[in-house]
Amino acid sequence: MKRIAVLSSGGDAPGMNAFIRSVVRMAIGNGLEAFGVMRGYQGLIDADIEPLHKRSVSNIIQRGGTMLRTARCPEFKTAKGQRQAIRNLNAHNIDGLVVLGGDGSLAGALALHKAGFKVIGAPGTIDNDLAGTDMAIGVDTALNTVLNAIDRIKETASSHERAFLVEVMGRNCGYIALISGIIGGAEMICIPEKDFELMDVVKVVQKTYISGKTHCIIIVAEGAKHSTQQIKITLDERIEEAGFESRVTILGHIQRGGSPTAFDRLLATRLGAAAVELLLKGESGKMVGLVGNKIMATPIKEVLENRKQLDMELYDMARTLEF
Ligand code: ADP
Ligand code: F6P
């Protein structure tokens, strides 16, 4: 193992730069040469690969986004695209690859491993839907961004005595919605993992209004059974019953930006170092993760087969705390 490359893929996440910095510094510190692949798997197919030095990753630990940029690359899902990628890695005499991303990116990493190329994966997605790690890189920062937004929304909601629907990301996972709802003190949390009816939302708003509260905050995961728009239409139709008038805030991509928190910087640094150490040991086809407070390596195949389950005991606790 003399030359390793690193790439970031899929949805970007705060902390990716801290991860890249750790991989590069750990590689060079162990006598290896380091390379960066631009724009995820698209850059691998385009041979957009450049050498990285200790100074290349100076002053990025605090920056959100990814200096290597990222991309969604359907071509890499094809055998042809994967062959072209491996051809380019070999042409650059690269012996090992570190892939940082979500489940799709890890599926790509597994394809390279199965084709015989040494690859280690790392969890980089704000969705936190990956098995094999308690937290993915970017999740803590995203939660703090959402929490800051909820705290601000609560102030204006109270001033106007309104109900607010706050939509958060997570694709098909309700982790961001659940945790931000708990720490933000929401009156209702709508997640893909738990069915609910539109009238349930009307009843919660009504119950909150009757309780004398000056606002009602409802967190809606983007993958929930009913869309934020559907809920809003129902609340408008039932405004007499609901009591509060309502407004919608869709947080969108601000959840993917921002300077990574202390937790994400440490997690990213630890996982980046661990990924290089695994390559140095000749390992491949595994994802590094944080389990308990220990860095663990899980076969990527196992990660992808065992979709992470939301802790529904947390959901039940949240229901109890809502009023
Ligand atoms: P994330 O990694 O955040 O889940 P995507 O699902 O968009 O983001 O996946 C990122 C990239 O990984 C895709 O654009 C594609 O290049 C690659 N990819 C996704 N799924 C597969 C797959 N099953 N096989 C090979 N490559 C894949
Ligand atoms: O996977 C991370 C994520 O932010 C999801 O929560 C969200 O649904 C998706 O990416 C948005 O993708 P894009 O940035 O391509 O619009």
Side-chain angles (χ1 to χ4, degrees):
M1 191 63 59
K2 295 287 181 205
R3 294 153 67 103
I4 68 170
V6 55
L7 68 82
S8 48
S9 170
D12 70 324
M16 282 191 163
N17 279 323
F19 177 87
I20 294 161
R21 170 182 177 275
S22 180
V23 168
V24 171
R25 293 275 172 91
M26 197 67 180
I28 293 169
N30 281 277
L32 306 179
E33 289 179 74
F35 294 80
V37 180
M38 304 306 294
R39 295 174 297 111
Y41 291 121
Q42 191 60 56
L44 213 42
I45 289 174
D46 300 342
D48 195 350
I49 302 170
E50 57 185 64
L52 294 175
H53 310 291
K54 277 184 174 268
R55 295 279 73 74
S56 309
V57 291
S58 294
N59 200 28
I60 67 167
I61 194 169
Q62 76 280 8
R63 284 169 47 197
T66 164
M67 65 172 275
L68 297 179
R69 297 202 289 282
T70 179
R72 314 247 183 210
C73 174
E75 189 183 354
F76 190 73
K77 294 183 182 179
T78 67
K80 180 174 179 285
Q82 291 161 19
R83 272 197 305 274
Q84 184 59 49
I86 294 173
R87 174 182 164 86
N88 291 337
L89 286 163
N90 291 333
H92 284 75
N93 297 311
I94 287 167
D95 312 301
L97 177 68
V98 177
V99 170
L100 175 62
D103 57 346
S105 303
L106 290 171
L110 183 58
L112 292 175
H113 167 68
K114 285 179 176 173
F117 197 85
K118 293 252 185 242
V119 59
I120 295 295
T125 170
I126 66 168
D127 300 346
N128 207 29
D129 56 352
L130 289 171
T133 189
D134 296 343
M135 290 283 270
I137 292 168
V139 177
D140 186 63
T141 306
L143 285 173
N144 280 282
T145 299
V146 174
L147 178 60
N148 183 273
I150 292 172
D151 288 350
R152 292 165 183 266
I153 288 169
K154 282 171 90 168
E155 290 167 352
T156 178
S158 283
S159 301
H160 290 264
E161 296 190 72
R162 284 170 169 165
F164 263 82
L165 299 170
V166 181
E167 183 180 299
V168 298
M169 282 186 162
R171 209 175 297 194
N172 303 316
C173 176
Y175 185 84
I176 294 176
L178 176 56
I179 303 303
S180 62
I182 292 171
I183 61 179
E187 277 71 33
M188 185 175 188
I189 304 166
C190 303
I191 54 177
E193 295 83 354
K194 193 79 178 175
D195 265 2
F196 67 98
E197 298 311 325
L198 290 166
M199 278 309 294
D200 294 333
V201 184
V202 176
K203 288 171 188 158
V204 166
V205 176
Q206 181 184 74
K207 184 179 175 185
T208 309
Y209 180 81
I210 290 169
S211 75
K213 283 190 170 187
T214 57
H215 65 260
C216 180
I217 303 296
I218 296 165
I219 309 296
V220 185
E222 62 179 343
K225 174 184 176 185
H226 298 291
S227 71
T228 307
Q229 187 185 15
Q230 288 167 322
I231 298 170
K232 169 65 175 160
I233 289 168
T234 304
L235 286 175
D236 289 347
E237 289 168 351
R238 304 276 181 155
I239 190 159
E240 292 307 317
E241 282 174 76
F244 288 123
E245 65 169 347
S246 65
R247 291 291 188 275
V248 171
T249 298
I250 298 176
L251 295 182
H253 284 69
I254 66 164
Q255 297 163 90
R256 290 252 292 271
S259 178
T261 58
F263 180 90
D264 270 333
R265 295 187 201 189
L266 180 59
L267 176 63
T269 301
R270 292 179 73 186
L271 292 183
V276 173
E277 283 162 1
L278 285 179
L279 283 175
L280 285 168
K281 289 175 187 166
E283 297 270 6
S284 179
K286 292 184 177 175
M287 182 197 82
V288 291
L290 180 72
V291 179
N293 194 33
K294 287 242 178 289
I295 301 295
M296 307 286 281
T298 306
I300 294 174
K301 185 171 181 295
E302 196 179 306
V303 170
L304 297 177
E305 285 169 353
N306 299 290
R307 186 178 159 71
K308 184 187 224 166
Q309 297 305 311
L310 203 59
D311 180 351
M312 295 313 286
E313 285 183 18
L314 274 181
Y315 179 82
D316 295 337
M317 178 192 78
R319 291 298 304 266
T320 307
L321 297 177
E322 277 159 0
F323 282 91

